[in-house]
Amino acid sequence: MSFYTFARTVVKQVLTPLYRIEVSGVEHIPKEGAVIICANHISNLDPPVVGITCPRPVHFMAKEELFRTPIVKQLVSRLHAFPVRRGMGDREALRTGLALLKEKKVLGLFPEGTRSKDGKLRKGLAGAGFFALRSEAVVVPCAIVGPYRIGKRLKVVYGAPIDFTPWRERKASADEVTAVIMEHIQQLLHEHQ
C-alpha cells in the first residue's frame, strides 16, 4: 500500500463522520485519462476532502512555503502535492501540472487561488483555463457545499464534465475558459445549497 493510499484511508475515516460528508456525482469522473477537477475553496480542508471523495489519486498545487521545511516537504510531496509560487505566473508549476496531465493523471485545482472568507465564489484565476486549453484533459467542476462544522453535513458534488474542444479550436483565452469553469461551479453551488 502506498503512503498516499494509507493517508487517504486514515483521513477518510476521520473526516467523513466528523463532517458527515455526503458525496454525489463521482460517476462524472472518468476512470482513466487526464482529468482536471476544479473546485471552490472555502477551507484548508478542501484538498483532503477532494482527495478522499475522488476515486482516483489527485495531485494538487500547494503554496511554496510548505516545501521550505524538509519534513513537511517530504510529507506533502508523498501526498502528491507540488509547489506553486502564489501571486505570479509560476512556469515550473505550470510545467509540472501539464506533465501530470500528459501522464493521464488527475490534477486538482482551486481556481480562486485562495480561500473565500465569506463562502461566496470569487473570480477564478487564469491558471485553470490555461490547463484546460493546453491539455486534452476532461474538466470536472466540483462544489464543496459547507460550512465545515462538526456534526453538520458537508456536501461534495462533482458535476458533468465540460467539453472544451470548441474553445480549444477557436483559441479562446485562459480567462474566458476559467470564467466558464466558474459558472459551472456556481451552478452546482446554487443547485445544492
Side-chain angles (χ1 to χ4, degrees):
M1 179 187 291
S2 71
F3 178 76
Y4 180 94
T5 306
F6 170 75
R8 183 183 186 275
T9 304
V10 171
V11 171
K12 190 171 190 170
Q13 287 173 347
V14 173
L15 293 186
T16 302
L18 199 61
Y19 295 107
R20 296 176 56 208
I21 297 173
E22 190 180 276
V23 192
S24 61
V26 286
E27 69 277 4
H28 293 306
I29 301 166
K31 291 184 172 42
E32 51 192 38
V35 177
I36 303 169
I37 293 175
C38 292
N40 58 316
H41 201 2
I42 57 173
S43 166
N44 283 330
L45 290 172
D46 295 338
V49 163
V50 170
I52 64 172
T53 57
C54 178
R56 293 174 61 187
V58 185
H59 299 257
F60 289 103
M61 287 184 183
K63 57 186 178 184
E64 162 199 46
E65 298 87 75
L66 292 173
F67 292 82
R68 291 182 187 157
T69 313
I71 294 170
V72 178
K73 177 182 179 178
Q74 188 177 13
L75 178 67
V76 292
S77 296
R78 290 178 73 188
L79 293 173
H80 297 178
F82 60 96
V84 61
R85 288 195 308 276
R86 298 191 296 178
M88 59 190 82
D90 185 342
R91 289 173 189 265
E92 189 55 39
L94 295 175
R95 273 195 292 271
T96 302
L98 286 174
L100 288 165
L101 293 171
K102 204 169 187 175
E103 292 167 15
K104 304 201 180 320
K105 294 186 174 165
V106 179
L107 180 63
L109 299 175
F110 299 99
E112 294 162 282
T114 188
R115 290 186 318 276
S116 167
K117 302 276 190 288
D118 58 8
K120 290 188 173 72
L121 193 66
R122 296 154 33 126
K123 185 178 187 291
L125 303 174
F130 169 85
F131 285 118
L133 288 169
R134 296 289 293 272
S135 70
E136 296 296 312
V138 169
V139 179
V140 176
C142 172
I144 301 168
V145 186
Y148 283 82
R149 288 215 187 96
I150 292 171
K152 291 267 189 199
R153 181 171 291 123
L154 181 82
K155 288 191 218 167
V156 181
V157 184
Y158 293 98
I162 311 164
D163 179 11
F164 280 112
T165 307
W167 281 269
R168 289 177 189 130
E169 286 171 357
R170 66 178 173 81
K171 308 230 183 316
S173 73
D175 283 323
E176 203 180 331
V177 169
T178 297
V180 173
I181 293 168
M182 300 313 283
E183 283 168 22
H184 282 259
I185 296 171
Q186 185 60 66
Q187 185 62 37
L188 290 173
L189 287 167
H190 179 70
E191 288 168 6
H192 295 277
Q193 274 177 330

